[in-house]
Amino acid sequence: MAFPANSRYQNVNTTTLVLGDGSEIVYLQRRFLPSPDSLAVMQRYQVTEGDRLDNIAARFIGDPEQFWRLCDANGAMRPEALTEVVGRTLNIAFPAGIPGARIV
């Protein structure tokens, strides 16, 4: 199973379950959120009325489909939670594994 380079599942492995009748089911292993502290923050953004995560990702990361990076950087299991509160400050981080100075 191959996922595009901008997918949150790109580096997640698959596993095969063999059923009693010999048939196989291939499934994706669970993806765990990285610790936000392990990501290098490149900047911060304050949520405004009507913000959408895909638009924020397009503006700051250059790809609306990478909204999941905002979730990772802010420890969010529910993407919509990041824009529910106007005025909330979001961390915008480099992808995992890319070093950089953390903004404090």
Side-chain angles (χ1 to χ4, degrees):
M1 207 178 290
F3 290 93
N6 65 346
S7 172
R8 74 181 92 186
Y9 301 110
Q10 178 191 23
N11 295 317
V12 178
N13 294 321
T14 59
T15 299
T16 302
L17 173 67
V18 180
L19 301 177
D21 65 0
S23 61
E24 297 181 347
I25 299 173
V26 178
Y27 65 93
L28 198 59
Q29 292 180 356
R30 185 173 178 187
R31 178 186 182 269
F32 292 95
L33 288 177
S35 169
D37 292 336
S38 70
L39 303 173
V41 175
M42 59 181 157
Q43 66 187 87
R44 293 208 165 96
Y45 174 75
Q46 192 168 31
V47 173
T48 60
E49 185 69 37
D51 268 340
R52 290 187 2 210
L53 216 51
D54 60 333
N55 290 335
I56 297 169
R59 179 175 171 193
F60 293 100
I61 299 173
D63 183 352
E65 292 185 10
Q66 290 196 28
F67 70 90
W68 57 271
R69 283 182 42 200
L70 298 170
C71 296
D72 287 359
N74 293 280
M77 293 292 293
R78 292 184 320 109
E80 63 275 6
L82 294 178
T83 55
E84 288 176 341
V85 177
V86 172
R88 176 181 179 162
T89 300
L90 300 179
N91 289 328
I92 300 170
F94 291 104
I98 296 184
R102 277 192 61 80
I103 296 174
V104 186

